[in-house]
Amino acid sequence: MKLTFLGTGTSCGVPVLGCQCPVCTSTDPHDRRLRCSALVETDTTRVLIDCGPDFREQMLKQPFRKIDGILVTHSHYDHVGGMDDLRPFCVFGDIDIYADHRAAENIRHNMPYCFVENKYPGVPKLNLMEVEPHKPFTIGDIMVTPIRVMHGHIPILGFRISQTTTPPKAHELSSLTYITDMKTISPDEIPYASGTDLLIVNALRFTKDHHSHLLVDEALDFSRKVSAPLTLLIHSCHDIGLHEEVNRRLPSNVRLAYDGEVFV
Ligand SMILES: [Zn+2]
Ligand SMILES: [Zn+2]
Ligand SMILES: [Zn+2]
């Protein structure tokens, strides 16, 4: 199983428009963060996690082939704002979108033209599949179990993802947990997030508490709770600091993800 980070930034991306801080003016490409999204791929299946407003830009760098399913964590614009740009991918057939009831309702509301009887020619052909926490489903040879996490007061989804077929080679990723935009999680959910090879979790910045996003220390606490052997932090804003300096401050089994990073 291969994971590609398409974007690792918070809702407004990094650099922030108009900002002249050292991170936003950094020449290190690791300090440029598009909105959060990732691709999970096996030899036969390709799953996208979230489809934000940078989707088009992100997919220009990837091979043009079928997307077998899209996992939606929640319906905030930075996670679903690129769904109209799925149009070119509909040459491979309709696209299945997996979202919880709340996110599915919001997608129907935001893109009504995709769900009417007589569609305008050329609109993206989307099948909304409503999923629930703890009820696993498969897309090709990828198994997904939704996890309930809280984004401030909004219940959203994280995903535990594993490959069902062809035992991965010794060095290959066999499972991962992807959680973004979390602030809190019930202890009952911890077992669903535990025991994967890789944890991906949001960390906005080091200081200044946020009502709906984890800070770095809170993300590190969560990583310890789920005993993650390796943790990668995403959904970071410019206040987190320079990529290289942040990584020096983190424990050896935790680091900041960056746009374009690939794990196999
Ligand atoms: Zn977000
Ligand atoms: Zn800045
Ligand atoms: Zn959000």
Side-chain angles (χ1 to χ4, degrees):
M1 204 161 69
K2 175 177 152 189
L3 170 79
T4 305
F5 288 97
L6 301 178
T8 59
T10 193
S11 56
C12 52
V14 182
V16 179
L17 277 167
C19 184
Q20 294 298 314
C21 81
V23 175
C24 292
T25 54
S26 163
T27 53
D28 180 354
H30 296 94
D31 288 314
R32 299 185 76 85
R33 301 181 186 281
L34 297 176
R35 269 60 69 91
C36 271
S37 176
L39 268 180
V40 180
E41 295 166 292
T42 64
D43 288 345
T44 58
T45 307
R46 189 187 216 192
V47 171
L48 177 73
I49 307 175
D50 285 335
C51 186
D54 295 317
F55 171 73
R56 177 182 170 278
E57 184 69 29
Q58 291 162 335
M59 294 311 281
L60 284 172
K61 300 180 189 115
Q62 300 297 322
F64 183 63
R65 56 186 185 84
K66 188 179 194 313
I67 296 172
D68 297 290
I70 302 181
L71 308 178
V72 174
T73 59
H74 64 305
S75 53
H76 279 164
Y77 185 78
D78 56 320
H79 298 264
V80 299
M83 284 176 66
D84 191 70
D85 284 323
L86 287 165
R87 280 175 292 161
F89 288 92
C90 293
V91 298
F92 303 108
D94 294 10
I95 300 177
D96 294 335
I97 313 279
Y98 298 83
D100 66 9
H101 179 68
R102 183 189 191 112
E105 287 284 279
N106 287 337
I107 292 167
R108 277 189 205 100
H109 178 263
N110 294 342
M111 306 176 76
Y113 57 95
C114 294
F115 303 101
V116 290
E117 191 82 355
N118 295 310
K119 297 180 191 64
Y120 184 78
V123 303
K125 296 184 199 101
L126 312 177
N127 296 327
L128 265 175
M129 325 277 275
E130 292 195 15
V131 297
E132 290 175 40
H134 316 155
K135 293 199 175 155
F137 56 93
T138 54
I139 305 171
D141 65 350
I142 290 177
M143 183 162 87
V144 182
T145 307
I147 304 167
R148 178 57 82 210
V149 306
M150 295 302 293
H151 183 20
H153 67 278
I154 308 172
I156 67 166
L157 295 180
F159 299 104
R160 183 192 182 106
I161 299 172
S162 53
Q163 190 171 345
T164 58
T165 53
T166 21
K169 295 161 203 107
H171 62 279
E172 214 174 277
L173 253 188
S174 64
S175 60
L176 62 94
T177 300
Y178 186 101
I179 294 176
T180 189
D181 291 48
M182 174 170 85
K183 182 61 177 181
T184 55
I185 184 167
S186 151
D188 298 343
E189 300 292 324
I190 298 290
Y192 294 97
S194 302
T196 55
D197 297 339
L198 176 63
L199 170 69
I200 296 133
V201 68
N202 58 299
L204 189 67
R205 55 196 178 212
F206 280 93
T207 54
K208 217 162 67 177
D209 188 41
H210 191 281
H211 68 100
S212 64
H213 288 274
L214 294 176
L215 301 186
V216 173
D217 281 346
E218 294 169 324
L220 296 181
D221 271 350
F222 176 64
S223 163
R224 284 188 286 271
K225 270 189 196 136
V226 301
S227 319
L230 177 62
T231 298
L232 292 172
L233 306 179
I234 58 168
H235 213 288
S236 305
C237 77
H238 60 167
D239 293 330
I240 201 162
L242 294 164
H243 184 88
E244 200 191 329
E245 289 175 11
V246 173
N247 274 342
R248 272 191 250 126
R249 292 172 69 177
L250 295 173
S252 58
N253 63 339
V254 182
R255 54 182 200 260
L256 270 186
Y258 58 87
D259 290 20
E261 185 169 18
V262 176
F263 270 85
V264 176

